[in-house]
Every structure is written in structure tokens, then in C-alpha cells.
Amino acid sequence: MRTKHNPTLAYQVKKSNHWRCERCNHKLDNSKNLTIYPLDGNPENNEPWNLAALCPSCLKYIRQFGLEVLLLVYDSPGIFGNNEPWLKSHIAGIKEAVQFGVSPITRGETIPSSHHSNLLGPGARAGHNSGPW
């Protein structure tokens, strides 16, 4: 899945990442190999936090995870051994998307409020849908 964006936006994201994959930092010679991927699975969401410049290998790896898993990995480095530091520029948007019930697992359906609350931090409510989505 690729983001439905204009070529100018794709160029800007790739250029701001110095034509490197955000995750592995590999510099790609051909800009077509650097994909702009929507982390929330919504190809129409062109918010900066949602757009990640990824090489083919990292894209294949990251596509299997939803926002909830990315958030858990980032917030729990002791469990996974690596908190994926590249997520730092995306994490505020990921937390907000999870908080307001945008689920990458179901790609648009809301998250049940019960068992996801621990991923959001103190006072956050999963499944709360009064936000802009």
C-alpha cells in the first residue's frame, strides 16, 4: 500500500530524510526504491507523522505491524530490546491515532476500549472517538 499523495509531497518527505530509509538509514540511489508508507494504513492520511520513508526491506517488515504494535515497541524497549528510534518523529501522531480509535489492525474500525488502554499511558482512553477522525 502506498500513500495517495502528490509527487511534490513524496519528494519533500524523501528529501527531508536525505534519500535514506528512516528505519535502517540505508541511502538509496534510486528514489523509486524509497517508498512513502502511511503508518496508520490509510493511504489518504498525509499528516507528516504518518508518512515514513522506507526502503523495500524495511517496508516489508513494518507493513506487518499496526500502530498499536509500533507504539508498544517504542514504549517498551526492555521487552523488545530495541525501541526503533526512527519512530521518534512519528510517535506523537501514533499515540493520538491510537487514543482516538484509529486501528491499523482493522484499518479504520475503532479499537475496543478494554485491553488497549495500557498502550496509551496514564489517563488515555482507547476507543474514544470524539477526535477529528
Side-chain angles (χ1 to χ4, degrees), residues 18-121:
H18 308 285
W19 306 96
R20 294 183 176 275
C21 174
E22 290 184 49
R23 185 170 180 267
C24 71
N25 205 31
H26 179 75
K27 185 170 176 104
L28 289 111
D29 296 328
N30 181 345
S31 69
K32 291 183 180 181
N33 288 332
L34 190 60
T35 300
I36 306 305
Y37 179 69
L39 295 173
D40 72 353
N42 179 355
E44 295 180 5
N45 182 355
N46 290 327
E47 293 294 323
W49 70 264
N50 192 44
L51 303 178
L54 300 171
C55 71
S57 296
C58 289
L59 176 63
K60 184 177 180 181
Y61 178 75
I62 293 300
R63 288 180 87 155
Q64 64 187 328
F65 302 116
L67 292 182
E68 294 92 344
V69 174
L70 293 176
L71 179 59
L72 182 63
V73 168
Y74 185 82
D75 284 346
S76 306
I79 296 172
F80 298 97
N82 177 354
N83 71 341
E84 298 283 340
W86 70 274
L87 285 170
K88 185 175 184 178
S89 64
H90 303 280
I91 205 67
I94 290 172
K95 285 182 178 181
E96 187 174 343
V98 170
Q99 179 180 356
F100 288 106
V102 176
S103 174
I105 294 170
T106 55
R107 301 295 184 214
E109 296 176 19
T110 58
I111 302 168
S113 59
S114 59
H115 62 283
H116 290 283
S117 300
N118 61 335
L119 299 178
L120 306 174

Side-chain angles (χ1 to χ4, degrees), residues 1-12:
M1 172 188 323
R2 293 187 178 198
T3 303
K4 292 181 182 178
H5 52 69
N6 61 47
T8 304
L9 178 59
Y11 178 83
Q12 289 171 347

